[in-house]
Amino acid sequence: MARNVLFLLGVGCIGWAMLSLFAAQVLPDWMGLSGGQRGPLYIEALSYNVGLTTAMGVFGILGALFQRLRLAASLAFLVFAGGLAGGRILAMVQGGEPDVFIVIALALEVAMVLAASAAYVSEKTRLSREAKELKRAEKAALEAALAAEHAEKAEAAEAAVPPSAVQQP
Protein backbone atom coordinates (compact mmCIF):
# COMPACT_ATOMS: atom_id res chain seq x y z
CA MET A 1 0.00 0.00 0.00
CA ALA A 2 2.75 2.45 0.92
CA ARG A 3 4.36 1.95 -2.49
CA ASN A 4 1.19 2.91 -4.33
CA VAL A 5 0.49 5.92 -2.10
CA LEU A 6 4.03 7.23 -2.47
CA PHE A 7 3.91 6.75 -6.22
CA LEU A 8 0.65 8.71 -6.45
CA LEU A 9 1.91 11.47 -4.16
CA GLY A 10 5.16 11.69 -6.13
CA VAL A 11 3.45 11.87 -9.50
CA GLY A 12 0.97 14.42 -8.12
CA CYS A 13 3.77 16.66 -6.84
CA ILE A 14 5.65 16.49 -10.12
CA GLY A 15 2.40 17.21 -11.97
CA TRP A 16 1.83 20.29 -9.81
CA ALA A 17 5.37 21.46 -10.48
CA MET A 18 4.93 21.06 -14.24
CA LEU A 19 1.60 22.89 -14.08
CA SER A 20 3.25 25.73 -12.15
CA LEU A 21 6.15 25.90 -14.57
CA PHE A 22 4.44 25.53 -17.94
CA ALA A 23 0.79 26.51 -17.39
CA ALA A 24 1.01 29.17 -14.69
CA GLN A 25 -1.69 31.27 -16.36
CA VAL A 26 -4.36 28.94 -14.90
CA LEU A 27 -3.15 29.68 -11.36
CA PRO A 28 -4.22 32.76 -9.37
CA ASP A 29 -2.29 35.98 -10.09
CA TRP A 30 -1.39 36.46 -6.42
CA MET A 31 0.84 33.38 -6.61
CA GLY A 32 3.28 35.38 -8.70
CA LEU A 33 3.70 32.79 -11.43
CA SER A 34 1.55 34.41 -14.10
CA GLY A 35 1.98 37.81 -15.67
CA GLY A 36 5.01 39.55 -17.06
CA GLN A 37 6.73 40.44 -13.80
CA ARG A 38 9.64 38.25 -12.81
CA GLY A 39 10.46 39.79 -9.45
CA PRO A 40 11.10 38.36 -5.98
CA LEU A 41 7.57 36.93 -5.68
CA TYR A 42 8.08 35.01 -8.93
CA ILE A 43 11.39 33.59 -7.67
CA GLU A 44 9.87 32.54 -4.34
CA ALA A 45 6.77 31.07 -5.96
CA LEU A 46 8.84 29.17 -8.51
CA SER A 47 11.25 27.85 -5.88
CA TYR A 48 8.38 26.42 -3.87
CA ASN A 49 5.93 25.38 -6.57
CA VAL A 50 8.54 23.93 -8.90
CA GLY A 51 11.69 23.28 -6.88
CA LEU A 52 10.37 21.94 -3.59
CA THR A 53 7.41 20.04 -4.98
CA THR A 54 9.56 18.44 -7.69
CA ALA A 55 12.05 17.34 -5.03
CA MET A 56 9.24 15.88 -2.91
CA GLY A 57 7.80 14.17 -5.98
CA VAL A 58 11.13 12.58 -6.87
CA PHE A 59 11.61 11.47 -3.25
CA GLY A 60 8.12 9.96 -3.25
CA ILE A 61 8.80 8.01 -6.44
CA LEU A 62 12.16 6.84 -5.09
CA GLY A 63 10.39 5.77 -1.90
CA ALA A 64 7.92 3.80 -4.01
CA LEU A 65 10.73 2.13 -5.95
CA PHE A 66 13.15 1.39 -3.10
CA GLN A 67 11.89 -0.30 0.05
CA ARG A 68 14.59 1.24 2.22
CA LEU A 69 13.28 4.76 1.51
CA ARG A 70 9.56 4.10 2.01
CA LEU A 71 9.33 4.94 5.68
CA ALA A 72 11.40 8.12 5.29
CA ALA A 73 9.46 9.22 2.20
CA SER A 74 6.13 8.65 3.94
CA LEU A 75 7.29 10.66 6.94
CA ALA A 76 8.66 13.42 4.71
CA PHE A 77 5.32 13.75 2.90
CA LEU A 78 3.52 13.76 6.23
CA VAL A 79 5.67 16.62 7.54
CA PHE A 80 5.64 18.49 4.20
CA ALA A 81 1.88 18.45 3.69
CA GLY A 82 1.19 18.91 7.40
CA GLY A 83 3.35 22.03 7.45
CA LEU A 84 1.60 23.49 4.41
CA ALA A 85 -1.87 22.73 5.77
CA GLY A 86 -0.90 24.03 9.19
CA GLY A 87 0.41 27.27 7.68
CA ARG A 88 -2.80 27.81 5.71
CA ILE A 89 -4.95 27.12 8.78
CA LEU A 90 -2.84 29.47 10.89
CA ALA A 91 -3.17 32.22 8.28
CA MET A 92 -6.96 31.79 8.25
CA VAL A 93 -7.13 31.83 12.06
CA GLN A 94 -5.18 35.08 12.06
CA GLY A 95 -7.77 36.67 9.79
CA GLY A 96 -6.67 35.74 6.28
CA GLU A 97 -9.48 35.60 3.75
CA PRO A 98 -9.35 32.32 1.83
CA ASP A 99 -10.52 32.06 -1.76
CA VAL A 100 -11.53 28.95 -3.66
CA PHE A 101 -7.92 28.10 -4.53
CA ILE A 102 -6.87 28.20 -0.85
CA VAL A 103 -9.76 25.96 0.20
CA ILE A 104 -8.98 23.43 -2.55
CA ALA A 105 -5.26 23.52 -1.71
CA LEU A 106 -6.04 22.99 1.98
CA ALA A 107 -8.29 20.04 1.16
CA LEU A 108 -5.57 18.49 -1.02
CA GLU A 109 -2.94 19.01 1.68
CA VAL A 110 -5.16 17.40 4.32
CA ALA A 111 -5.73 14.49 1.91
CA MET A 112 -1.94 14.24 1.47
CA VAL A 113 -1.49 14.13 5.24
CA LEU A 114 -4.06 11.35 5.56
CA ALA A 115 -2.55 9.37 2.66
CA ALA A 116 1.00 9.79 3.96
CA SER A 117 -0.15 8.77 7.47
CA ALA A 118 -1.74 5.62 6.08
CA ALA A 119 1.42 4.85 4.10
CA TYR A 120 3.59 5.43 7.18
CA VAL A 121 1.45 3.18 9.39
CA SER A 122 1.33 0.51 6.68
CA GLU A 123 5.09 0.55 6.19
CA LYS A 124 5.78 0.58 9.94
CA THR A 125 3.45 -2.41 10.38
CA ARG A 126 5.16 -4.29 7.54
CA LEU A 127 8.59 -3.64 9.05
CA SER A 128 7.42 -4.78 12.47
CA ARG A 129 5.95 -7.96 11.01
CA GLU A 130 9.17 -8.69 9.12
CA ALA A 131 11.23 -8.13 12.28
CA LYS A 132 9.05 -10.59 14.22
CA GLU A 133 9.33 -13.19 11.44
CA LEU A 134 13.09 -12.76 11.33
CA LYS A 135 13.30 -13.15 15.11
CA ARG A 136 11.23 -16.35 14.93
CA ALA A 137 13.41 -17.73 12.13
CA GLU A 138 16.60 -16.92 14.05
CA LYS A 139 15.22 -18.61 17.15
CA ALA A 140 14.26 -21.73 15.18
CA ALA A 141 17.70 -21.85 13.54
CA LEU A 142 19.41 -21.49 16.91
CA GLU A 143 17.28 -24.26 18.42
CA ALA A 144 18.04 -26.54 15.45
CA ALA A 145 21.78 -25.83 15.77
CA LEU A 146 21.70 -26.56 19.50
CA ALA A 147 19.75 -29.77 18.94
CA ALA A 148 22.26 -30.89 16.29
CA GLU A 149 25.17 -30.08 18.59
CA HIS A 150 23.53 -31.98 21.44
CA ALA A 151 22.92 -35.00 19.18
CA GLU A 152 26.59 -34.99 18.06
CA LYS A 153 27.77 -34.91 21.67
CA ALA A 154 25.43 -37.76 22.60
CA GLU A 155 26.69 -39.88 19.68
CA ALA A 156 30.32 -39.14 20.56
CA ALA A 157 29.72 -40.06 24.21
CA GLU A 158 27.98 -43.28 23.17
CA ALA A 159 30.84 -44.28 20.86
CA ALA A 160 33.47 -43.53 23.52
CA VAL A 161 31.95 -45.92 26.09
CA PRO A 162 33.76 -49.31 25.90
CA PRO A 163 31.50 -52.30 25.56
CA SER A 164 30.73 -54.09 28.80
CA ALA A 165 31.67 -57.69 29.47
CA VAL A 166 28.14 -58.79 28.88
CA GLN A 167 28.10 -57.18 25.45
CA GLN A 168 31.41 -58.82 24.32
CA PRO A 169 31.18 -62.13 22.42
Side-chain angles (χ1 to χ4, degrees), residues 24-144:
Q25 63 273 12
V26 300
L27 299 174
D29 290 337
W30 56 259
M31 285 184 71
L33 292 171
S34 58
Q37 289 185 312
R38 303 277 192 221
L41 180 59
Y42 176 78
I43 294 170
E44 287 301 313
L46 204 63
S47 69
Y48 164 74
N49 287 295
V50 177
L52 183 60
T53 51
T54 300
M56 285 301 299
V58 169
F59 191 43
I61 290 173
L62 289 174
L65 293 175
F66 300 105
Q67 195 171 355
R68 287 183 171 199
L69 295 176
R70 271 190 207 135
L71 198 61
S74 299
L75 189 57
F77 265 105
L78 182 64
V79 171
F80 171 71
L84 292 175
R88 289 188 203 279
I89 292 169
L90 181 63
M92 286 188 269
V93 166
Q94 290 181 344
E97 297 177 21
D99 63 356
V100 173
F101 177 80
I102 296 294
V103 174
I104 291 171
L106 180 60
L108 288 173
E109 289 158 0
V110 169
M112 284 175 66
V113 167
L114 294 174
S117 297
Y120 182 81
V121 168
S122 170
E123 190 62 18
K124 196 74 169 164
T125 303
R126 184 192 63 76
L127 290 173
S128 175
R129 186 175 47 247
E130 281 182 3
K132 287 178 185 176
E133 289 172 2
L134 181 62
K135 196 172 187 178
R136 265 189 244 120
E138 287 175 347
K139 184 177 178 182
L142 180 62
E143 288 175 356

Side-chain angles (χ1 to χ4, degrees), residues 6-31:
L6 286 172
F7 182 77
L8 288 174
L9 289 174
V11 168
C13 279
I14 291 173
W16 174 258
M18 295 305 106
L19 174 75
S20 298
L21 186 60
F22 298 116
Q25 63 273 12
V26 300
L27 299 174
D29 290 337
W30 56 259
M31 285 184 71

